[in-house]
Amino acid sequence: WAAVGLIGGLAGHGHQARLWGMAGVFGFLVCAPLASDVFLYGDVIEVMALLPGLAMGLWLGERSRFTELLGQNKTADTFTAFQTGRNPLRPEAPDAQGVIEPSVNGRDLARTSDRAMTPQSRSIHAGIPPKYPAQGESANPLSSGTSLTIRVLGVILLGLAAAGLFDFPLWGIALALGLICYMALLWRRPSAWLIIVPAALPLLDLAPWTGRFFWDEFDLLMLTTLAVGMWQGQFRASVWHVPKLRGLLAVFVLITSVSLMMGLFPLPAWDANALSAYWSHYNSLRLVKGLLWGLVFYGLYRSLQDRDAAFIKLASGMALGVLGVSAWALWEQIQFAGAATTADYRVTGSFSSMHTGGGHFEAYLVMALPFVWGLFFVSRNRFVRGVVAAIFLLGAYALFSTVARGGALALGLALLVLTAGTWRALGRQSRHRARFATPALLGVLTLGVMIAGASGVFWKQRIAQTVPDASIRLHHWSEVLDMRDSGGMTALFGQGLGSLPATNLASQLPDQAGSYRYADDNGNPYLALNSAGTLYMAQRVAPRPAETLTLHLSARTPAGKAGLEASLCEKNLFNSRQCQWLKLDVKPGTPSWQTFSQTFSSGEVGAGNVLTRRPVQFSLYNPVPGTVIEVDAIRLLDSGGQNLVRNGDFSQGGDFWFFKSGDHLFWHAKNLWVHLLFEQGWLGALLFSAIMVLALVRLARPASHGALEPTVWLAALAALATAGMVDSLVDAPRLALLVYGVLFVGAAWGAAPKTHATRPKRSRHRTRSHLQAEPKGPVV
C-alpha cells in the first residue's frame, strides 16, 4: 500500500488516492457483515494496513515534489499579509457597503463600524485567523475527477439512506418525505443543517416505538447531510490541515479504527441478534458512528466561510433542541411526579439511550446551554433575547429535574466560565460597561433556578448519598479495568470498541445482568429471556382505560424452574404508574410450548387526553434468577379483537421491542477516561486527552482577550470534561457527535492551515504590539 501511495503522490493524484482508499475501507466494512464466511483474518489485516500504508506512501511521494510545490506556493505571502493586517483574500477591495478595508486589525478595525465589517474582517476581529487556501489549494481546489469521485460517494451514501428507509419498521413514508424536504432545504440553503441537526439530535428519537437503536432515524438524517455536503463540495481540504491537531486527529482515528477491528472481529452470524443487543460484536459499528458524525460536524462547520452567521445558526439549533427536551422534561415530571418534592423520580426526556442508565440527558444540556447563552448576547432584538433567556432558564430547570449531581456541577462550572468571559467581552468597550449587569442578572437567575431545583427532598437525599456513591463508583472503575485481557495489544489499543457489555456479560461481574436473544426453532422464531437482573422487554401500546384486554402467548422453559410476568404500565423508561401485573405459571422442564390466555382490565392505564395521557408499555419479565424462559406468539387483544402488540411472533427480530435494564453499572464504565482506557487502550485515552488539552489552550487565549464565541465553546468543553468524570458520554452515538464536534472545533480554534512554506517568525515585541492593538468589544 505504501508503494501505491508513493506512485499516487509522485503523479500528483493524492486526493484521488485518499478518497478511493477510504472508499475501499468503507466498502469492506459494509460488505464484511454480509459475507462473513468469505473474509479471513488476513483480509482484515490487509484492510487495516491500507490507510496507514497509503498515507505513508503519499507523504513520501508528495514531499518528493517539494521543490515544485514551493515554486507554486503563495501561502507565505498570505500569512505575511495576515500579520500586517491586510485582508489577504480581498486586498483593498470595497465591501458590500462600499467601504475600502486596507487594514483589518489594530485601531483601524476598532473604528470600523460593525455593519461595514466583512465576515472575513469580523473573524480576524474575533481572534480567528482568516480562511485562506491551503497548500496547492485554489478557488476551485479539486480536479474534475476528484469532484466526480466525491459526488459518486455522496450518491452511494444517499442510496444507503434510501435502503435504510425501505426497511424501516414505522413511519417510513413520513421519514422519507421529511428527508426529501430536508434535502431540498440543503440544496437552497447549504448551511441549514446547522439548525436542523442540533435540534434533531435530542428530539428525533423513535427507538421506543421502532426498537431500532443500532441504526436509527437520526443516522439517516446525518447520512443525508453528509451525502448532500459531498455532492455540493462543502468540505474544504484546508480544515484538516491544522497544526498539531492534524497529527493528533489522524493518529486518534487510526487508533479508533484498530479498536474497531478488535471489537468487530470475529464477525458473528448476521441474524436477528446482530443489531439488537449491546453484547453483539456489531456494537463496535454502533459506537464508531459517534466519531464519524463528529468528524462530519467538524468538517462542515470549519468549512463555512461566514463564521459569525454559522455560530448564530448553530446556537439557534441548540436553543430549539434545549427548548424541546426541556418542555418534554417538564411535562414528564408533571405527569409522573407531580408537584411533590418528595417524589423519587428522575426524568429522562426523549433520550431513549438511557434505557440502560447513564447521564446522557444532563450531559447534553450542560454542553448545549452555553450556546443558548451565547445566542442571548449576540441577539439584538429584545423579544428574541427574552425568548432565549427563558429557554436558558427552562433548560437549567430541566437539568435539575434529572437529579444529577455531576450535571449540576458541570453547569456551575460552565456558568462561571460564561459569566467571566462575557464580562471580559462586554468590558472591552466603554459603551458596554452599562451592560455589565446583564450577564450577572442572568447568572443570578440561573443560580436561583439551581437552588430551587436542589431544594427538594429527593435532591437532599442524593446529596447526602454522595460519599457512599463515590465509593461505589471508584470500586466500579477498578472492576471495569480489571476485566481487560492481559497483553500488550489490549494495553495499547484496548479491549475493542463497544466490547464493555459483552465483556461484562462474560465475566458475570458483579452479578450477571438480565439478557435476551432471538432464536429459531425449525423456522419458528422466538424470544429467549434470561433473568439475573431487572431487565424488561417492552413495547409501546395504546390501550383505552377501563377496557377488557386478553393476553395470549406461548412459553416454555428448557430446564429447571422458571416464571414469566407481564405488565401493562404507564412508563416513559423506568418509573411506572398504574400498573396491571399478570403472572403466568410455566411448568418447568417441558420442551413443548405451553399456551396461556388471560383476561384482565386495563384499569386507569391510558386515561387522559392528548396532553395528559402518559405513555403506556407492555412488558415481559423473567422473575426467577438464573433461568431462561422462551416466549412466542404474543397477542394483546382489545375489546374489539384488535391486536395491540406488533411483531409478537418475532418474525421481524427485535423490531418494535425495546428493552430496559435497571442494572446501570453493568452497561457503562461511568467515566469517560475509564471507558476510553478499557475500549481504546492507553493510546486512545492519551490522544483524546491531548486533543482536549489543545482545545482548552486554544479556546482560553481568545476568550481571555474578550471574544465571546470561543468563551461559549470553552464553557461547553469545560462542562463536557466535568460530566465525563461521572459518565461515559461517548457510548451513545448522538451524544458522542456533540462531544467530538465540540472537542475538534475547539482544538482547531484560531489555527491557520498547515502549509509547506516557511512562515516568518514573529518577535515577542511584535506579538505584544499586536495584542495591545487588538480591537475591543464583545464579538463572536
Side-chain angles (χ1 to χ4, degrees):
W1 292 120
V4 173
L6 178 62
I7 296 173
L10 290 172
H13 295 297
H15 286 294
Q16 293 89 331
R18 291 184 180 92
L19 289 172
W20 283 110
M22 289 186 291
V25 174
F26 178 78
F28 175 81
L29 294 177
V30 172
C31 297
L34 306 177
S36 56
D37 296 336
V38 178
F39 293 111
L40 303 176
Y41 185 72
D43 301 325
V44 179
I45 295 298
E46 185 158 351
V47 173
M48 290 173 60
L50 191 154
L51 291 180
L54 196 65
M56 181 172 63
L58 287 171
W59 185 85
L60 292 172
E62 291 173 345
R63 293 312 182 277
S64 66
R65 301 173 67 239
F66 187 71
T67 304
E68 177 187 354
L69 294 174
L70 278 181
Q72 300 172 356
N73 185 22
K74 304 300 181 182
T75 309
D77 296 336
T78 303
F79 185 81
T80 306
F82 167 59
Q83 281 192 316
T84 57
R86 291 186 295 105
N87 189 332
L89 297 185
R90 300 193 308 164
E92 308 297 333
D95 65 0
Q97 304 297 325
V99 178
I100 295 179
E101 292 185 328
S103 176
V104 292
N105 79 334
R107 292 179 175 81
D108 293 336
L109 180 61
R111 300 190 191 100
T112 305
S113 66
D114 182 67
R115 182 169 298 186
M117 292 168 61
T118 64
Q120 185 71 20
S121 62
R122 282 197 298 269
S123 296
I124 301 176
H125 187 191
I128 307 172
K131 298 186 66 176
Y132 51 81
Q135 158 87 43
E137 194 175 12
S138 62
N140 186 20
L142 299 180
S143 64
S144 58
T146 303
S147 300
L148 179 61
T149 302
I150 294 177
R151 289 191 171 190
V152 169
L153 289 176
V155 172
I156 293 174
L157 295 178
L158 200 60
L160 290 177
L165 277 173
F166 180 79
D167 188 41
F168 211 74
L170 267 181
W171 305 307
I173 296 178
L175 284 173
L177 293 176
L179 289 178
I180 291 174
C181 294
Y182 177 57
M183 289 175 58
L185 179 62
L186 289 179
W187 193 260
R188 294 294 298 264
R189 295 287 186 268
S191 62
W193 68 270
L194 283 166
I195 299 176
I196 303 299
V197 170
L201 187 149
L203 297 174
L204 186 61
D205 193 342
L206 306 178
W209 291 270
T210 64
R212 298 284 181 92
F213 52 92
F214 268 63
W215 184 254
D216 59 17
E217 55 287 338
F218 184 75
D219 296 317
L220 299 179
L221 179 73
M222 290 301 300
L223 204 60
T224 303
T225 305
L226 176 59
V228 175
M230 295 178 69
W231 180 269
Q232 294 179 332
Q234 294 185 34
F235 290 96
R236 291 170 54 90
S238 60
V239 304
W240 307 103
H241 296 266
V242 178
K244 295 184 178 66
L245 177 62
R246 177 186 182 182
L248 290 174
L249 187 57
V251 178
F252 181 73
V253 171
L254 180 61
I255 297 303
T256 304
S257 302
V258 175
S259 300
L260 168 66
M261 295 300 176
M262 293 178 66
L264 183 61
F265 289 92
L267 286 175
W270 186 262
D271 55 15
N273 298 292
L275 303 181
S276 299
Y278 288 144
W279 44 82
S280 167
H281 283 234
Y282 295 105
N283 193 40
S284 300
L285 296 177
R286 184 184 72 89
L287 290 196
V288 82
K289 289 187 308 180
L291 177 58
L292 174 62
W293 299 146
L295 291 171
V296 171
F297 175 90
Y298 167 82
L300 287 175
Y301 185 81
R302 290 275 300 173
S303 297
L304 295 171
Q305 296 288 346
D306 190 351
R307 201 69 61 80
D308 292 2
F311 175 77
I312 293 175
K313 291 178 181 178
L314 175 63
S316 300
M318 292 287 192
L320 291 175
V322 170
L323 175 62
V325 297
S326 300
W328 188 316
L330 183 62
W331 174 87
E332 182 183 348
Q333 186 178 31
I334 293 174
Q335 291 299 316
F336 287 93
T341 59
T342 59
D344 184 1
Y345 188 83
R346 302 181 63 181
V347 301
T348 56
S350 57
F351 282 81
S352 66
S353 58
M354 296 178 65
H355 65 138
T356 58
H360 303 157
F361 187 13
E362 54 265 29
Y364 164 78
L365 284 175
V366 298
M367 283 190 285
L369 283 174
F371 291 91
V372 184
W373 175 288
L375 182 62
F376 174 83
F377 283 98
V378 300
S379 301
R380 297 183 178 181
N381 185 285
R382 292 184 177 181
F383 175 76
V384 173
R385 287 165 64 91
V387 172
V388 172
I391 293 174
F392 185 84
L393 296 176
L394 182 62
Y397 177 79
L399 174 66
F400 275 80
S401 66
T402 64
V403 201
R405 293 159 295 189
L409 183 62
L411 179 61
L413 179 60
L415 194 63
L416 181 63
V417 174
L418 289 170
T419 304
T422 308
W423 278 349
R424 176 68 171 167
L426 295 178
R428 296 292 289 177
Q429 285 189 350
S430 59
R431 62 189 178 93
H432 290 292
R433 292 188 184 279
R435 297 169 59 187
F436 257 47
T438 305
L441 178 60
L442 187 57
V444 169
L445 290 175
T446 308
L447 287 176
V449 171
M450 296 168 67
I451 294 173
S455 62
V457 175
F458 188 31
W459 251 107
K460 294 179 181 178
Q461 294 174 355
R462 293 277 293 168
I463 293 175
Q465 193 67 21
T466 300
V467 175
D469 286 350
S471 177
I472 294 174
R473 193 64 59 87
L474 289 171
H475 180 66
H476 175 65
W477 296 343
S478 176
E479 289 180 329
V480 168
L481 296 178
D482 288 342
M483 287 191 300
R484 293 177 298 170
D485 297 337
S486 59
M489 284 292 292
T490 302
L492 291 177
F493 301 102
Q495 193 76 9
L497 209 62
S499 61
L500 178 59
T503 306
N504 212 343
L505 185 66
S507 66
Q508 302 183 12
L509 179 68
D511 294 316
Q512 183 177 326
S515 59
Y516 61 91
R517 64 182 180 90
Y518 299 101
D520 188 278
D521 184 9
N522 296 324
N524 177 43
Y526 61 90
L527 169 69
L529 193 60
N530 171 60
S531 178
T534 55
L535 184 142
Y536 297 85
M537 185 61 69
Q539 183 175 147
R540 289 285 179 98
V541 294
R544 293 189 295 269
E547 183 180 20
T548 300
L549 303 175
T550 304
L551 175 64
H552 300 279
L553 60 81
S554 299
R556 69 182 182 184
T557 175
K561 183 180 179 181
L564 181 64
E565 294 181 358
S567 64
L568 192 69
C569 297
E570 294 177 340
K571 177 191 298 187
N572 188 35
L573 274 186
F574 296 114
N575 301 60
S576 305
R577 293 194 60 174
Q578 309 288 356
C579 284
Q580 301 293 328
W581 283 91
L582 303 177
K583 185 175 182 180
L584 307 175
D585 295 324
V586 183
K587 296 180 181 179
T590 304
S592 60
W593 291 98
Q594 305 172 45
T595 304
F596 298 89
S597 179
Q598 193 166 344
T599 301
F600 64 101
S601 174
S602 61
E604 299 182 9
V605 175
N609 54 34
V610 176
L611 295 178
T612 61
R613 186 182 300 116
R614 304 184 188 98
V616 179
Q617 295 181 10
F618 171 76
S619 304
L620 297 174
Y621 173 61
N622 182 356
V624 183
T627 64
V628 177
I629 186 76
E630 298 174 351
V631 189
D632 191 14
I634 304 171
R635 293 185 299 157
L636 182 63
L637 305 180
D638 61 11
S639 56
Q642 181 180 0
N643 187 11
L644 303 180
V645 172
R646 296 177 176 176
N647 190 29
D649 59 355
F650 304 102
S651 59
Q652 297 172 259
D655 284 354
F656 307 105
W657 295 97
F658 193 60
F659 82 95
K660 286 96 177 173
S661 175
D663 299 315
H664 298 168
L665 294 180
F666 176 88
W667 308 94
H668 309 280
K670 290 295 184 180
N671 181 281
L672 177 57
W673 284 268
V674 173
H675 174 88
L676 291 170
L677 189 58
F678 179 87
E679 294 196 344
Q680 295 178 244
W682 282 103
L683 292 178
L686 290 175
L687 283 167
F688 183 91
S689 302
I691 297 175
M692 177 168 288
V693 171
L694 180 64
L696 290 172
V697 171
R698 283 183 167 170
L699 288 171
R701 289 173 180 172
S704 64
H705 296 154
L708 183 59
E709 185 181 350
T711 300
V712 170
W713 289 90
L714 180 63
L717 189 60
L720 181 162
T722 305
M725 297 301 297
V726 292
D727 215 324
S728 304
L729 301 186
V730 294
D731 56 1
R734 296 176 187 231
L735 190 61
L737 182 157
L738 199 56
V739 170
Y740 288 123
V742 170
L743 182 65
F744 296 156
V745 172
W749 197 270
K754 185 176 182 180
T755 67
H756 296 297
T758 303
R759 296 181 175 181
K761 297 182 179 180
R762 290 188 292 178
S763 65
R764 181 175 300 179
H765 175 74
R766 188 174 186 177
T767 303
R768 287 176 178 173
S769 301
H770 172 72
L771 292 178
Q772 290 172 358
E774 198 174 62
K776 300 179 180 181
V779 292
V780 179

